[in-house]
Amino acid sequence: MGRHKPGKVRRRRPDELPDHVQIRQTRPGEGKAFTDLAALAMEGHGDFDDREAMCETIDEGGPFISRYKAGQFVFLVAEHTPTGRIVGVSSSIPPLSVLAGMERDGADPTVLGATAMAYVKIRALAVADDCRRQGIASALLARALTVHREHSAFFAYGQFTAGDAALARFYQRQGFTIHAPGEPVFLAGGSKHTGVGASPLPGEQMFSRML
């Protein structure tokens, strides 16, 4: 008898999900579950001072547009479909701190709207401890960036605890440049606001990429 040759085992892509997990937008009523998990990503990044507002915004339902009439707030979850449990979350938003600084400097509303549309901040990306290393974070991030790209964004950035080698490797695999600790990311602005930048908090470093 001939030997049985086992079939080739196909390896999942880094952003390919297990069959029992789906990525979708948040639904009204999921604010607490979302922010409870997002709090994991916010540890060590200052106070999660917009947690209550984020929870209320999600519970109200979308679509979510910034007060500058441009720029998307994208709240995504990874759902374990057999149980309905939320096992991962992604929050990506317009660059609010940058916009606030530009507004204080007297930026034209048109420039503010264009900036809100063009740039994306990765606010929070978290996966439950028992569901990590399954491609969920990569899939959440890829979906979020796709949504922003479809709404004309072309640059994304975020920050993480300086020296966290695992997170640095993760974002590098997603195509991001990892900046040195304390180094700001500069964003192209209008004619009066060239060199506008986003700076990390003490003890953090930033990552950025074109979309």
Side-chain angles (χ1 to χ4, degrees):
M1 295 178 63
R3 287 186 178 180
H4 171 69
K5 295 183 179 181
K8 185 178 180 181
V9 177
R10 186 178 70 86
R11 298 183 64 183
R12 292 202 318 266
R13 300 190 312 272
D15 61 344
E16 187 176 0
L17 289 168
D19 292 339
H20 58 272
V21 177
Q22 68 165 340
I23 303 296
R24 60 170 175 80
Q25 292 188 355
T26 53
R27 296 168 181 160
E30 292 181 335
K32 184 179 186 303
F34 187 100
T35 53
D36 282 352
L37 199 47
L40 294 176
M42 303 307 296
E43 291 178 359
H45 296 276
D47 295 332
F48 190 178
D49 53 8
D50 60 342
R51 180 172 183 167
E52 184 175 346
M54 184 184 292
C55 182
E56 291 178 355
T57 299
I58 290 169
D59 284 342
E60 289 173 358
F64 312 109
I65 307 295
S66 79
R67 69 181 183 86
Y68 300 96
K69 309 303 181 184
Q72 303 289 312
F73 289 76
V74 178
F75 302 113
L76 301 176
V77 300
E79 178 188 357
H80 179 256
T81 51
T83 63
R85 177 188 170 207
I86 292 175
V87 297
V89 298
S90 169
S91 169
S92 45
I93 66 176
L96 299 181
S97 60
V98 172
L99 291 163
M102 293 173 65
E103 193 170 35
R104 287 192 298 270
D105 291 341
D108 183 271
T110 302
V111 173
L112 290 170
T115 303
M117 182 180 296
Y119 302 104
V120 177
K121 180 176 182 181
I122 309 304
R123 177 72 171 114
L125 180 65
V127 175
D129 289 342
D130 60 335
C131 294
R132 293 180 178 176
R133 304 185 68 81
Q134 298 183 43
I136 294 174
S138 296
L140 281 165
L141 182 58
R143 179 74 64 83
L145 296 181
T146 296
V147 173
H148 287 289
R149 190 183 302 114
E150 290 172 349
H151 287 87
S152 301
F154 63 81
F155 189 85
Y157 71 95
Q159 57 214 63
F160 62 92
T161 302
D164 190 323
L167 277 179
R169 287 194 298 271
F170 170 78
Y171 284 111
Q172 283 178 320
R173 289 197 300 270
Q174 314 309 313
F176 286 86
T177 295
I178 307 301
H179 298 265
E183 179 185 354
V185 170
F186 290 99
L187 315 177
S191 59
K192 291 176 59 179
H193 302 275
T194 55
V196 171
S199 298
L201 294 171
E204 293 187 338
Q205 60 191 110
M206 306 196 75
F207 55 92
S208 67
R209 59 164 284 189
M210 302 296 292
L211 300 183

